[in-house]
Amino acid sequence: MAKSVEKYECMYIINPNFSEEETAAVVTKFKALVEANGTLDEMEEMGKRKLAYEINYLSEGYYVLVKFTSAPEFPAELDRVLGITDDILRSLITLRAE
């Protein structure tokens, strides 16, 4: 029986005080995690943007949008890893309506 796959969208915000190298390392880490567990459909680094409200005394963050296709079990694991990564201020994973 074929595994079901779903299309997801993940937005995460990285600490804006990082150097370009540190930011790139975080982006690469999550890109590799998605590719290891599914198919990366699209990735957009939106760069630094102002936050709607301060998080940990920071008023801006580095936004990254990732669109991927994976088995329904993977987003929970991705959310867990994003949640325990100190460099991530916020993250949200949603199902994509196609």
Side-chain angles (χ1 to χ4, degrees), residues 12-24 26-27 45-64 85-90:
Y12 60 91
I13 307 171
I14 303 171
N15 184 328
N17 298 327
F18 278 7
S19 68
E20 282 182 33
E21 292 80 23
E22 290 170 313
T23 301
V26 173
V27 171
E45 290 187 47
M46 300 163 114
K48 284 186 182 177
R49 301 242 173 128
K50 192 151 181 53
L51 299 171
Y53 54 90
E54 282 193 1
I55 301 172
N56 304 337
Y57 305 104
L58 298 169
S59 60
E60 62 176 17
Y62 189 91
Y63 283 70
V64 181
T85 304
D86 293 337
D87 323 328
I88 304 297
L89 302 179
R90 287 286 184 279

Side-chain angles (χ1 to χ4, degrees), residues 2-45:
K3 271 188 158 181
S4 68
V5 293
E6 298 278 353
K7 291 181 179 289
Y8 296 95
E9 195 169 89
C10 172
M11 168 81 75
Y12 60 91
I13 307 171
I14 303 171
N15 184 328
N17 298 327
F18 278 7
S19 68
E20 282 182 33
E21 292 80 23
E22 290 170 313
T23 301
V26 173
V27 171
T28 303
K29 170 185 168 178
F30 287 106
K31 181 180 181 208
L33 185 62
V34 168
E35 288 174 335
N37 293 279
T39 307
L40 182 68
D41 300 329
E42 192 182 319
M43 186 163 166
E44 182 183 352
E45 290 187 47

